[in-house]
Amino acid sequence: MKLDRLIEDVYDHETTLAKQLRKTAERHAADHDIYHLGHSQARACAQRMEQLGPHAERHGVTPPEAPTSTSPTLVEGMRHATADLLGRAKPTGQLLVADLRKLYLAAQATELAWVILAQSAQAARDAALLAAASTGKDGTTVCAKWLRTRIKEAAPQVYAAG
Amino acid sequence: MSDRIADIWGTRTPHAAGDDWPVRVDRYLEPGVPVRAVEWVQSACVLCSNGCGLDIGVHEGRIVGVRGRAGDRVNRGRLGPKGLFGWQANHAADRLTEPLVRRGGIKGSLEPAGWDEAMDLVVEHSREVLTAHGPLAMGFYNSGQLFLEDYYTLGVLVRAGIGTPHLDGNTRMCTATSDFALKETFGSDGPPGSLTDFDLCDTLFLVGHNAAETHTVLWARILDRLHGPDRPRLVVVDPRRTKVAREADVHLPIRNGTNQALLNGIQQQLIVNGWVDDDFVQAHTVGFDQLEATVAQYPPERVAEICDVPAADIRAAAELIGTGERLVSTALQGVYQSHQATAAACQINNINLLRGMIGRPGCTVFQFNGQPTAQNTRETGANGDLVGMRNWQNPDHVAELARLWNVDPLQIPSWAPPTHAMQIFRLIEQGSIRFLWVIGTNPAVSLPELHRIRSILGQDRLFLVVSDAFLTETADFADVVLPAAMWGEKTGTFTNHDRTVHLSEKAVDPPGQARPDMEIFLDYARRLDLRDVDGAPLLKWDTPEECFAAFKRITEGRPCDYSGLTYDRLRGGSGIQWPCTDKRPKGTERLYTDGTFNTDTEYTEDYGHDLVTGAAHERKDHTDLGAAGRAVLKTADYQPPNEAPSEDYPLLFTTGRTAYQWHTRTKTAHVPQLNAAAPEPWVELSAADAKQLDIEEGDLVRVESARGRLEAKARISGVREGVAFAPFHYGYWDTDGDGPGKHPRAANELTITAWDPVSKQPTFKVAAVRVRKLADGDGTPSPAPTTTASEPLTDDVPPTSGGTGVRETVRRTR
């Protein structure tokens, strides 16, 4: 049984995703929906990690600290300020689509980590872990779907407008 | 004669459930006009979404007054103060009467020009932008106060002619959430119920709906039941102690931004207490299991903590809702402009579905509108919808439209939903949209975070066209200003919040060179030479009636079926509710009477969204859901608001309207009776907060958020502790040149740039602020009305009055 490794894998992916969501939120703070939803989705990552906590301990994994920082770091603050300054420039649209594409892939990778955990939990007949992993998978599916929706809206303006 | 400024709702005509609402004809005529010589022209009121039927009084070519139409189903003769007095705005001395163009560059001034010069300039810049940047650099932002014919002309012109998705209405600020909540739950837009349901219900649940001020005649209708022999029970959710809240059996003054938690909590109580109509839920809904699992997390004690109201009151509210036999629930801006707008609005739909109370007399849910013609922006696709309640994600719907319009399907932007207003302004900020036409609305005062909006509109690279009846704060930024005709000066139709369609006939000529909006759009399309695939003109009508006929054809077979309506059928009697077909020429009083909803995948207007992120469901998600005619019980967890009070900004801020003013006062400030009742902005504080801040009634205070500041006199009112309120009506056009720098008085200086993820409606009702005293008021009270939610706590403030001369004639029922 190597479920512990899969749990650690989920933690790694969620931590990376949360960081990337926050980074994108601050970098595109002039796109206010990206700013607000980016941060709230980062909080959702932390919540999913917390919910996995008891199962992680059962499998001998020490849950890492959830990335819940509410006050922005220095780097994040700088990104926000830059976003406000450069928010008027047209290339920010292109940059947004590029960053959302990366985020989408990170969300997909995280979803896959949960799928692998859920599959293995089912095969190991660990019903509680299976339930937790399914909830985690649903959450990351929604996150990816939000990004897909947003990319579909944003891309034509960047690439079809002259 | 009554004073209808002092008594907003007029003489009571109480009645019991099931009785017809008695007729009371309200009339106001300019003093001295010979009544017998007045000619009456059929119309309806355009000062809220109730759309009361009225006749315009004309004498010697001038509008001289109005009277309610006794036979109209909406108002049975009544009018509110804005309806009675508001027509005087048409006579304002500062109406725009000729086109203006900016001469001398960006710093130059607006100077009179002829129509040809102005329109040529608009067309020349449109062509330049289209050639250099393509259709996606063109944006259009319209209103909730045009007529159906104006909207439809604009919709076809922009979607099929220019081919840009960047067309939205200010209805995005007002009823986008109503539209989206109806689509999410029932599969299409369209209010399910009838206003007569208020005459029949035994339980009322009003959420964030200060009907006493937003819909005064509807509130008169409700008061006639509340003061009648079998008074319905009333549950009210509102952080302010409104006149509605004062009538309530249970008032829940929740912390603003927490609707979702409260409504989850009420559903939890309905389920655990067995107040669910299991047969109805089983047969006519999908999603119950998920809903049950979500709301189970919201027992009254947890909700009490989030919302800061007693758990016992939550239980009491749920019991009233859960034990009534005929429930009418309503929502307005306290839901739509608050946090988790669409999610919360959907929970109100859920409550009626759980109770099995929809589609029957006295049982319905109203996702109300605000503006008089907001419903038509949605039907005609002049906002975020595709015309005729079609689904932009359904290629068959787009193809059908292309066939009816005789254009290439690819010409119609359908790769994504139509761009919402806040995103249109973002794209202008980015320089991606270069041409913006603002029609009959005033974003420089009505959008959130005004310093940002002003800087966006003030950009050199933007070509801004404004058509309006008045020189607004927005027109100050314009390159070209076009004078528009107002209500009473043009013919057209519009639809209210229970699907009642009214005809409004032209009573007088517009002043000077002002023109109806539809004519301006037709002229623009002609000058741009917009054509269909066969080379014929794209817009195939010249008169409003011809336009109405074209629109009817587009709606045939869709939820908002107008095919049985004609101008002639709308003349003489009452307004008529759609769907109206040749088979049902009298219209349809209630939708969904057989429990079948518009959720069939082929037919539905929208595949739905995730309520927390706004992630759009696609066709396969919708078929998987398998709703197939059943309503969808949507669910969401409570999320904390985007901005919470902090040490620096310890109070919650919310905005709203007063009964006497309309929007940014372009019309109502020109009406003596209305403007005198609420001449200046004010800030409402609770007694406890005022005491802590050492503020007394009438003191000048400064309210600051992270984005801006507002200065106004304080009114100590019944608003909940920890919350400051300011009306959103006041801008700068009538301040003798004092702009926002010198004397900030627009509530939107403070509001946050954030919007609901599904409806994209801005969050005007949740922001964090701090308040401090600037100067003593020397005992002079603030100018806030005493007759409304801004009622003072002390009784030494002179009462609001000044609306004399109104004749009310109550017709006794047999």
Side-chain angles (χ1 to χ4, degrees):
Chain A
M1 294 266 273
K2 301 176 191 70
L3 288 178
D4 54 338
R5 277 162 59 183
L6 294 180
I7 290 170
E8 282 168 355
D9 186 48
V10 162
Y11 277 138
D12 287 348
H13 275 93
E14 288 282 13
T15 306
T16 309
L17 179 61
K19 276 186 192 154
Q20 211 172 324
L21 279 161
R22 276 213 309 272
K23 184 173 156 185
T24 307
E26 293 297 340
R27 192 161 166 180
H28 297 281
D31 283 286
H32 292 75
D33 60 328
I34 301 295
Y35 175 75
H36 293 300
L37 277 168
H39 280 291
S40 71
Q41 283 300 299
R43 285 195 295 275
C45 293
Q47 248 171 28
R48 288 193 291 269
M49 288 171 69
E50 269 165 36
Q51 278 158 8
L52 192 57
H55 310 289
E57 276 162 18
R58 273 197 296 122
H59 288 274
V61 177
T62 312
E65 203 177 320
T68 50
S69 104
T70 45
S71 57
T73 63
L74 191 63
V75 181
E76 283 172 348
M78 276 167 62
R79 275 196 198 105
H80 192 126
T82 317
D84 284 344
L85 281 173
L86 299 180
R88 285 292 165 95
K90 234 176 156 181
T92 52
Q94 218 163 326
L95 197 61
L96 176 66
V97 173
D99 283 349
L100 293 180
R101 283 178 82 157
K102 282 185 219 148
L103 256 185
Y104 179 70
L105 294 178
Q108 293 276 49
T110 312
E111 190 250 7
L112 202 54
W114 283 107
V115 169
I116 292 167
L117 178 62
Q119 290 293 104
S120 309
Q122 186 176 358
R125 275 76 176 175
D126 187 336
L129 182 59
L130 172 61
S134 302
T135 310
K137 180 185 87 71
D138 291 347
T140 42
T141 304
V142 167
C143 181
K145 202 167 171 180
W146 160 59
L147 292 161
R148 184 183 165 85
T149 299
R150 196 61 181 79
I151 291 164
K152 285 171 75 174
E153 288 167 14
Q157 189 68 24
V158 172
Y159 295 103
Chain B
M1 293 281 177
S2 350
D3 180 340
R4 291 293 303 282
I5 293 293
D7 177 9
I8 296 172
W9 308 286
T11 307
R12 290 278 58 72
T13 53
H15 69 94
D19 291 351
D20 280 342
W21 189 30
V23 169
R24 185 193 85 197
V25 176
D26 296 354
R27 191 187 78 190
Y28 177 71
L29 283 174
E30 208 168 77
V33 168
V35 179
R36 278 165 208 280
V38 172
E39 254 181 276
W40 296 99
V41 179
Q42 183 177 349
S43 178
C45 183
V46 285
L47 286 158
C48 91
S49 57
N50 211 45
C52 298
L54 61 74
D55 293 319
I56 303 174
V58 179
H59 182 56
E60 296 176 342
R62 286 180 76 245
I63 298 180
V64 292
V66 288
R67 71 173 180 204
R69 288 176 66 84
D72 200 278
R73 59 180 307 282
V74 170
N75 54 319
R76 314 262 299 164
R78 289 163 192 76
L79 295 173
K82 285 199 286 274
L84 286 164
F85 302 116
W87 54 270
Q88 296 167 93
N90 286 53
H91 298 329
D94 57 351
R95 283 285 302 274
L96 285 169
T97 56
E98 54 193 348
L100 307 172
V101 301
R102 190 169 298 280
R103 299 191 206 276
I106 184 97
K107 296 253 158 58
S109 57
L110 287 168
E111 289 170 19
W115 272 102
D116 272 334
E117 187 194 347
M119 289 306 288
D120 281 345
L121 207 56
V122 174
V123 169
E124 185 191 316
H125 278 268
S126 302
R127 284 229 169 90
E128 264 175 41
V129 170
L130 283 165
T131 308
H133 308 284
L136 276 72
M138 303 282 288
F140 296 81
Y141 181 50
N142 73 105
S143 167
Q145 296 168 86
L146 308 183
F147 288 174
L148 180 152
E149 294 77 3
D150 302 316
Y151 293 130
Y152 183 57
T153 304
L154 177 65
V156 183
L157 154 67
V158 175
R159 305 255 187 252
I162 290 174
T164 177
H166 310 318
L167 163 63
D168 201 5
N170 68 10
T171 48
R172 190 66 72 169
M173 315 295 132
C174 114
T175 61
T177 302
S178 160
D179 179 12
F180 276 84
L182 292 169
K183 289 190 283 198
E184 292 291 333
T185 305
F186 305 121
S188 81
D189 185 12
S194 163
L195 287 172
T196 58
D197 290 326
F198 289 96
D199 308 340
L200 292 157
C201 66
D202 72 354
T203 309
L204 283 158
F205 180 35
L206 271 62
V207 189
H209 180 202
N210 181 9
E213 296 191 62
T214 55
H215 300 122
T216 57
V217 172
L218 171 63
W219 182 241
R221 187 171 203 147
I222 294 172
L223 278 177
D224 282 346
R225 287 297 316 288
L226 292 172
H227 295 192
D230 51 359
R231 183 185 187 280
R233 298 103 50 95
L234 174 63
V235 177
V236 174
V237 181
D238 201 312
R240 297 172 78 204
R241 193 146 182 268
T242 60
K243 289 287 180 184
V244 176
R246 283 163 202 263
E247 290 280 344
D249 297 271
V250 178
H251 172 210
L252 299 165
I254 60 168
R255 192 179 273 143
N256 26 331
T258 63
N259 289 322
Q260 184 65 23
L262 176 73
L263 294 162
N264 277 348
I266 286 175
Q267 292 178 92
Q268 186 266 357
Q269 284 291 293
L270 295 181
I271 293 171
V272 298
N273 288 299
W275 293 323
V276 172
D277 181 340
D278 294 323
D279 292 342
F280 184 90
V281 168
Q282 176 74 28
H284 300 294
T285 71
V286 293
F288 180 78
D289 292 345
Q290 180 61 51
L291 177 71
E292 187 178 28
T294 304
V295 303
Q297 307 302 312
Y298 296 84
E301 283 68 25
R302 180 179 174 217
V303 175
E305 209 166 288
I306 298 171
C307 303
D308 193 27
V309 289
D313 289 358
I314 298 166
R315 288 197 170 86
E319 184 173 356
L320 290 182
I321 293 164
T323 57
E325 284 173 12
R326 295 181 307 279
L327 169 69
V328 173
S329 306
T330 77
L332 199 70
Q333 308 308 349
V335 178
Y336 307 160
Q337 293 179 344
S338 192
H339 182 55
Q340 293 195 282
T342 308
C346 286
Q347 305 318 303
I348 301 168
N349 293 340
N350 287 355
I351 286 170
N352 275 70
L353 289 168
L354 290 176
R355 300 282 300 128
M357 291 185 185
I358 190 153
R360 290 191 278 128
C363 302
T364 198
V365 55
F366 275 102
Q367 300 288 345
F368 270 117
N369 299 346
Q371 298 184 81
T373 72
Q375 192 65 44
N376 304 112
T377 62
R378 286 143 58 173
E379 297 159 5
T380 58
N383 70 338
D385 294 308
L386 209 51
V387 61
M389 299 185 179
R390 287 177 172 82
N391 183 355
W392 61 270
Q393 280 203 86
N394 185 331
D396 293 342
H397 287 196
V398 177
E400 182 189 42
L401 203 53
R403 182 175 54 76
L404 289 162
W405 283 344
N406 197 30
V407 297
D408 183 338
L410 263 179
Q411 175 67 7
I412 301 169
S414 66
W415 53 84
T419 316
H420 61 95
M422 296 303 290
Q423 187 64 19
I424 290 178
F425 279 83
R426 172 67 187 128
L427 294 176
I428 300 167
E429 183 177 37
Q430 239 169 14
S432 189
I433 290 179
R434 301 283 180 141
F435 174 101
L436 179 70
W437 191 338
V438 175
I439 301 130
T441 186
N442 193 9
V445 179
S446 56
L447 291 190
E449 198 172 353
L450 287 180
H451 75 91
R452 172 173 176 265
I453 299 302
R454 284 188 292 264
S455 79
I456 290 172
L457 291 172
Q459 293 177 99
D460 200 7
R461 61 187 171 185
L462 174 71
F463 189 81
L464 179 65
V465 181
V466 170
S467 33
D468 208 300
F470 295 96
L471 197 69
T472 61
E473 290 86 343
T474 304
D476 276 345
F477 294 96
D479 296 285
V480 175
V481 179
L482 303 171
M486 290 171 73
W487 163 93
E489 299 163 357
K490 61 181 184 180
T491 293
T493 53
F494 50 92
T495 306
N496 83 340
H497 50 211
D498 85 336
R499 293 172 281 106
T500 302
V501 185
H502 283 116
L503 175 68
S504 178
E505 305 255 28
K506 178 178 169 177
V508 296
D509 285 326
Q513 300 177 42
R515 288 182 184 172
D517 292 281
M518 188 190 84
E519 282 180 28
I520 300 174
F521 302 143
L522 287 174
D523 184 24
Y524 178 62
R526 252 179 250 124
R527 287 173 197 258
L528 268 183
D529 198 29
L530 299 177
R531 295 185 177 272
D532 66 15
V533 285
D534 294 324
L538 176 70
L539 303 174
K540 298 168 175 46
W541 51 88
D542 294 307
T543 66
E545 193 162 4
E546 289 166 12
C547 179
F548 186 79
F551 176 69
K552 268 168 51 169
R553 279 195 296 278
I554 292 279
T555 63
E556 203 171 344
R558 295 303 303 163
C560 53
D561 194 329
Y562 278 69
S563 60
L565 285 171
T566 62
Y567 275 22
D568 273 344
R569 274 199 184 140
L570 292 168
R571 279 193 182 105
S574 169
I576 298 173
Q577 290 170 284
W578 65 249
C580 174
T581 60
D582 288 336
K583 278 188 191 144
R584 309 186 72 150
K586 290 184 177 164
T588 309
E589 184 161 29
R590 292 180 185 85
L591 306 181
Y592 313 131
T593 49
D594 62 353
T596 306
F597 299 91
N598 293 335
T599 54
D600 185 89
T601 300
E602 300 305 329
Y603 190 70
T604 191
E605 186 184 359
D606 201 306
Y607 294 143
H609 298 78
D610 171 63
L611 296 181
V612 173
T613 60
H617 295 318
E618 298 179 4
R619 187 185 174 88
K620 62 183 184 314
D621 303 311
H622 197 265
T623 47
D624 284 354
L625 180 68
R630 288 177 290 173
V632 184
L633 294 164
K634 301 284 295 196
T635 178
D637 270 304
Y638 164 73
Q639 309 275 325
N642 291 320
E643 185 170 89
S646 60
E647 215 169 286
D648 283 346
Y649 301 103
L651 295 176
L652 271 168
F653 179 66
T654 184
T655 70
R657 80 162 62 253
T658 180
Y660 303 106
Q661 299 284 10
W662 176 253
H663 282 199
T664 60
R665 294 166 60 252
T666 48
K667 283 189 271 194
T668 47
H670 290 97
V671 177
Q673 296 91 336
L674 297 174
N675 201 48
E680 296 277 336
W682 68 91
V683 173
E684 279 174 48
L685 295 168
S686 70
D689 291 323
K691 191 173 171 207
Q692 209 226 322
L693 293 161
D694 192 26
I695 291 168
E696 286 181 25
E697 170 71 38
D699 287 351
L700 182 66
V701 300
R702 174 177 289 173
V703 188
E704 279 174 294
S705 76
R707 296 157 291 278
R709 64 198 166 91
L710 156 71
E711 292 168 10
K713 287 185 173 178
R715 162 59 45 89
I716 317 304
S717 78
V719 68
R720 75 163 273 141
E721 198 179 328
V723 175
F725 167 91
F728 58 66
H729 304 290
Y730 301 86
Y732 303 98
W733 63 267
D734 57 342
T735 56
D736 296 326
D738 279 4
K742 198 166 169 202
H743 188 72
R745 61 179 214 158
N748 282 319
E749 305 291 350
L750 307 179
T751 44
I752 184 172
T753 302
W755 53 84
D756 181 66
V758 180
S759 68
K760 316 291 195 279
Q761 184 156 351
T763 310
F764 290 105
K765 293 199 189 285
V766 191
V769 295
R770 60 177 168 234
V771 177
R772 69 182 173 91
K773 180 158 87 177
L774 289 183
D776 275 331
D778 302 325
T780 315
S782 79
T786 62
T787 42
T788 58
S790 55
E791 186 175 332
L793 294 183
T794 52
D795 50 13
D796 53 356
V797 179
T800 304
S801 64
T804 52
V806 176
R807 198 182 73 155
E808 294 180 350
T809 313
V810 174
R811 207 171 286 172
R812 297 286 157 208
T813 41
R814 281 145 296 177

